[in-house]
Amino acid sequence: MITCFIRYEIDPFKKDDFTEYARNWGQAIPRCGADLIGYFGPHEGSATTAYGVYNIDSLAAYEAYRARLMADPLGKENYAFSKRERFILKEDRIFLKNVSMPHGALVKP
């Protein structure tokens, strides 16, 4: 299992557009085969940094997932929406493996 972290630089005056974009991915990504952890938008601190995070079995599975996502009606519309509205200024993608597993039990003080 690998985790894809997408770091976005967004237009701070178009945060609502990014929120709509993220909610659309909340429907399309799981439908196309990735385990979506979530999209995270600015709250406090930076007004321009956002993240998307999901798990996928392998890079080969990622390639198949991307093909399904690009063929998905909502996926295609969401890509077009981001191009048309230009709220994403920069996007960086990295794949990481969780190396701290297994975790201990959560202890609440």
Side-chain angles (χ1 to χ4, degrees):
M1 180 76 58
I2 56 176
T3 303
C4 179
F5 290 83
I6 308 168
R7 182 185 179 279
Y8 296 95
E9 181 181 329
I10 63 171
D11 182 329
F13 300 104
K14 295 185 176 185
K15 288 190 287 186
D16 290 342
D17 286 340
F18 182 80
T19 297
E20 180 180 343
Y21 174 81
R23 288 184 179 150
N24 289 338
W25 286 139
Q27 301 305 307
I29 288 174
R31 180 171 58 235
C32 291
D35 174 24
L36 180 64
I37 295 169
Y39 269 73
F40 302 86
H43 177 70
E44 183 66 32
S46 173
T48 60
T49 302
Y51 292 91
V53 183
Y54 60 88
N55 294 314
I56 195 94
D57 288 334
S58 65
L59 289 176
Y62 169 75
E63 293 301 327
Y65 151 78
R66 290 286 290 184
R68 288 189 300 273
L69 196 61
M70 299 200 60
D72 182 83
L74 182 56
K76 287 195 291 194
E77 173 50 37
N78 218 28
Y79 283 123
F81 172 56
S82 68
K83 281 184 160 183
R84 183 175 62 249
E85 299 302 322
R86 299 178 153 263
F87 50 87
I88 297 173
L89 306 176
K90 184 177 178 184
E91 179 178 334
D92 293 311
R93 185 177 319 264
I94 187 170
F95 294 89
L96 301 174
K97 185 174 182 173
N98 188 338
V99 296
S100 65
M101 298 293 273
H103 296 153
L106 175 64
V107 177
K108 293 189 178 186

